[in-house]
Amino acid sequence: MIIRLSELDHRKGEPLPFRVTLDADEIKSRHQEIRSVTPVQAVGEAAKLGTLYYVNGHMEADVNYVCARCLTPFTQHMHVPFSESFTNDESLVFDEESDIQLLDGEEIELEPLLSEDFLLEVPTFPLCSEDCKGLCPSCGVNRNEQPCSCKNERIDPRLAGLADFFQKNNE
């Protein structure tokens, strides 16, 4: 979807509502952790105030992942707010770290901006729950479903001699 700046100029500060659906396949192809995603629904409004153009709203979609700890598939509903600011005035963009983006033309193309905002909210290591116990590294059992009796003590090889020393003293 493209928002024409001339249309916002004529509205004299009155917001222009919009609704756009982002391509699910394109979103999925840009992030390796996403197994599948419903079409991303974005709802928002664009307005001009002074020399700045604002685009605000939120996006929603259901995203399927595989848990990074236990490898269980799960679905998460994502609600992603977005807020972008634009200007044609170069003096308002102080540096590259500025939240105000300099416009290059007479329109704002929403899909690339919204796709980027959505992908920035996708977790790098998706977890089915914050307290996921994961898989046992020895026997492979899902410790969320059943306990295992494996001893997974890892001793730093540099301290292995010290562990042997304490074990001999306890005998």
Side-chain angles (χ1 to χ4, degrees):
M1 175 176 189
I2 294 175
I3 296 177
R4 293 188 182 4
L5 301 183
S6 59
E7 188 173 344
L8 293 177
D9 292 340
H10 292 294
R11 296 180 76 88
K12 298 183 183 338
E14 182 182 329
L16 172 68
F18 64 84
R19 179 178 296 271
V20 64
T21 302
L22 302 179
D23 183 18
D25 291 332
E26 199 260 317
I27 295 279
K28 180 181 178 256
S29 70
R30 292 181 58 198
H31 202 290
Q32 66 183 12
E33 296 302 326
I34 296 176
R35 299 298 176 238
S36 66
V37 61
T38 60
V40 179
Q41 302 295 323
V43 178
E45 59 186 24
K48 179 183 181 187
L49 298 171
T51 59
L52 293 175
Y53 297 92
Y54 296 96
V55 177
N56 302 307
H58 69 275
M59 296 176 276
E60 292 191 31
D62 291 326
V63 183
N64 294 321
Y65 302 104
V66 172
C67 180
R69 288 185 189 156
C70 69
L71 304 179
T72 302
F74 71 98
T75 302
Q76 179 182 21
H77 180 76
M78 292 187 62
H79 178 87
V80 180
F82 61 87
S83 179
E84 301 286 345
S85 304
F86 304 91
T87 187
N88 285 327
D89 186 356
E90 290 184 33
S91 67
L92 293 176
V93 182
F94 304 111
D95 56 29
E96 292 180 15
E97 303 274 327
S98 176
D99 288 339
I100 301 172
Q101 299 179 44
L102 188 61
L103 288 168
D104 184 30
E106 292 299 315
E107 44 191 40
I108 300 170
E109 190 172 346
L110 286 179
E111 278 93 351
L113 295 167
L114 298 179
S115 292
E116 183 178 335
D117 286 347
F118 187 82
L119 289 169
L120 286 172
E121 293 296 318
V122 172
T124 306
F125 298 103
L127 299 177
C128 60
S129 68
E130 287 298 320
D131 59 344
C132 177
K133 297 175 185 169
L135 300 176
C136 173
S138 299
C139 67
V141 71
N142 185 340
R143 294 186 286 191
N144 296 315
E145 297 171 358
Q146 66 185 36
C148 71
S149 58
C150 298
K151 290 188 177 186
N152 291 319
E153 287 183 29
R154 293 188 182 182
I155 298 175
D156 187 331
R158 297 170 293 180
L159 301 176
L162 190 58
D164 291 339
F165 172 76
F166 283 117
Q167 191 170 24
K168 288 178 186 175
N169 283 344
N170 287 339
E171 294 173 352

